[in-house]
């Protein structure tokens, strides 16, 4: 049975000024050159793919002094039209938070919370029908979890990330069906206790292997039917199809050099 695709609204930012000039995660090597025009083409392919699927893509204006802005997922978390702003762990990205807030103010969003605690937006927050899953350990502060629960009114499940390659929750876990509690994740990224929590709450989850996780295959975006994911995560395609999803592989190789892929480039604006 094919699944139903909902029409989504995404916020993205073109990698016009993308560079790897500093290293704040193990994927980033400032000594490795980035092909900027290829990065742009790859990103445009993702944007066009969303539009072809019937989704709305809103755009942020990239700033030359903020090379990581392309990873728009980190700038806020929007649920029920309520905007929880971000507060970045590293000073290199700190100014991105205000750029996002300005965008929301200019686009009719009125319920906006400027956070007191560090949270890197959808990098560490994932929305299922029942829960707000919340990563901690590398970026978002555990204190941001209570702040998110209070503002968004959703029960937060805190999850401990333990592998530096999977420094954000969205590098190790993806919500496949937000109307149900259906997810896929890589257990190796989580502490034993968090693994037990995930197994208890999501007994039917799709479990990803180490190779697909290392291709950032969990850094995917699902509209409930189409799952857009890094094409190198070849082991995920068949299990996704078996569940009735339509996997769509995308090559974002240049943006992988900054430690991000499909989901990192995509912030979902949930009405
Ligand atoms: N270079 C960026 C950083 O380390 C990549 C962010 C990836 N975004 C994400 N949602 N995981 O902050």
């Amino acid at each position: 049975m094919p699944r139903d695709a909902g029409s989504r609204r995404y916020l993205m930012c073109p990698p016009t000024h993308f560079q790897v000039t500093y290293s704040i995660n193990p994927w980033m090597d400032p000594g490795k050159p980035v092909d900027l025009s290829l990065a742009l083409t790859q990103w445009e392919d993702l944007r066009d793919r969303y539009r072809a699927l019937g989704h709305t893509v809103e755009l942020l204006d990239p700033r030359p002094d903020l090379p990581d802005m392309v990873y728009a997922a980190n700038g806020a978390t929007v649920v029920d039209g309520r905007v929880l702003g971000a507060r970045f762990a590293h000073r290199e990205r700190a100014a991105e938070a205000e750029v996002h807030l300005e965008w929301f103010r200019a686009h009719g969003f009125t319920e906006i919370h400027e956070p007191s605690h560090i949270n890197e937006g959808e990098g560490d927050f994932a929305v299922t029908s029942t829960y707000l899953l919340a990563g901690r350990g590398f970026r978002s502060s555990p204190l941001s979890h209570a702040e998110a629960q209070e503002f968004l009114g959703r029960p937060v499940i805190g999850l401990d990330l333990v592998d530096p390659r999977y420094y954000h929750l969205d590098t190790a876990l993806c919500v496949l069906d937000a109307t149900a509690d259906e997810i896929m994740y890589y257990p190796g990224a989580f502490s034993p206790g968090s693994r037990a929590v995930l197994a208890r709450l999501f007994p039917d989850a799709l479990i990803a292997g180490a190779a697909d996780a290392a291709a950032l295959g969990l850094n995917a975006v699902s509209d409930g039917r189409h799952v857009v994911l890094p094409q190198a995560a070849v082991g995920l395609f068949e299990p996704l199809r078996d569940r009735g999803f339509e996997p769509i592989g995308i090559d974002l190789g240049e943006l992988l050099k900054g430690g991000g892929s499909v989901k990192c480039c995509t912030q979902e604006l949930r009405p």
Side-chain angles (χ1 to χ4, degrees):
M1 256 278 282
R3 294 179 175 248
D4 291 331
S7 135
R8 308 288 161 121
R9 189 177 178 204
Y10 299 128
L11 179 61
M12 299 179 72
C13 180
T16 316
H17 309 290
F18 176 62
Q19 290 188 76
V20 180
T21 50
Y22 50 81
S23 178
I24 55 174
N25 70 56
W27 303 80
M28 300 175 83
D29 175 359
K32 222 197 232 169
V34 167
D35 182 337
L36 188 55
S37 75
L38 181 56
L40 258 166
T41 311
Q42 292 175 337
W43 177 90
E44 284 166 0
D45 182 35
L46 177 63
R47 180 204 56 196
D48 294 348
R49 205 57 81 95
Y50 287 142
R51 288 182 171 156
L53 291 171
H55 305 311
T56 302
V57 178
E58 308 278 1
L59 295 175
L60 278 169
D61 261 342
R63 269 188 27 186
D65 55 327
L66 298 170
D68 268 339
M69 263 189 79
V70 62
Y71 305 111
N74 299 126
T77 305
V78 183
V79 187
D80 303 323
R82 295 169 72 78
V83 182
L84 172 64
R87 193 176 182 113
F88 286 81
H90 297 95
R91 66 178 158 70
E92 290 89 340
R93 300 195 65 187
E96 293 181 41
E98 187 53 36
V99 180
H100 280 255
L101 289 176
E102 272 164 27
W103 188 89
F104 286 106
R105 289 188 204 110
H107 288 80
F109 290 78
T110 51
E111 307 281 345
I112 301 179
H113 178 75
E114 294 188 39
S116 316
H117 301 291
I118 289 171
N119 89 70
E120 295 202 346
E122 288 194 312
D124 278 321
F125 290 127
V127 184
T128 74
S129 61
T130 314
Y131 310 108
L132 185 66
L133 304 178
R136 61 190 174 213
F138 295 101
R139 300 288 180 91
S140 298
S141 157
L143 297 171
S144 74
H145 294 184
E147 191 172 20
Q149 175 166 292
E150 188 56 34
F151 179 66
L152 298 173
R154 302 241 174 173
V156 166
I157 304 293
L159 298 167
D160 291 296
L161 296 163
V162 295
D163 181 333
R165 284 176 304 163
Y166 308 111
Y167 56 95
H168 273 144
L169 182 66
D170 73 357
T171 61
L173 183 148
C174 167
V175 178
L176 293 172
D177 182 353
T179 65
D181 284 319
E182 189 168 2
I183 65 169
M184 60 175 176
Y185 67 98
Y186 171 55
F190 297 93
S191 70
S194 293
R195 264 183 246 169
V197 168
L198 287 168
R200 179 179 290 263
L201 295 179
F202 306 101
D204 302 322
L206 195 170
I207 301 295
D212 294 317
L216 274 194
L218 281 319
N219 198 243
V221 170
S222 174
D223 64 14
R225 173 171 179 165
H226 311 97
V227 180
V228 183
L229 79 169
Q231 69 182 20
V234 288
L236 291 174
F237 285 68
E238 216 31 60
L240 284 168
R241 281 195 199 101
D242 288 345
R243 285 169 183 251
F245 293 105
E246 243 176 81
I248 299 174
I250 292 272
D251 179 11
L252 287 180
E254 289 309 296
L255 295 169
L256 199 63
K257 295 175 180 171
S261 191
V262 175
K263 174 59 205 174
C264 297
C265 294
T266 315
Q267 185 188 130
E268 185 169 344
L269 309 175
R270 298 175 189 78

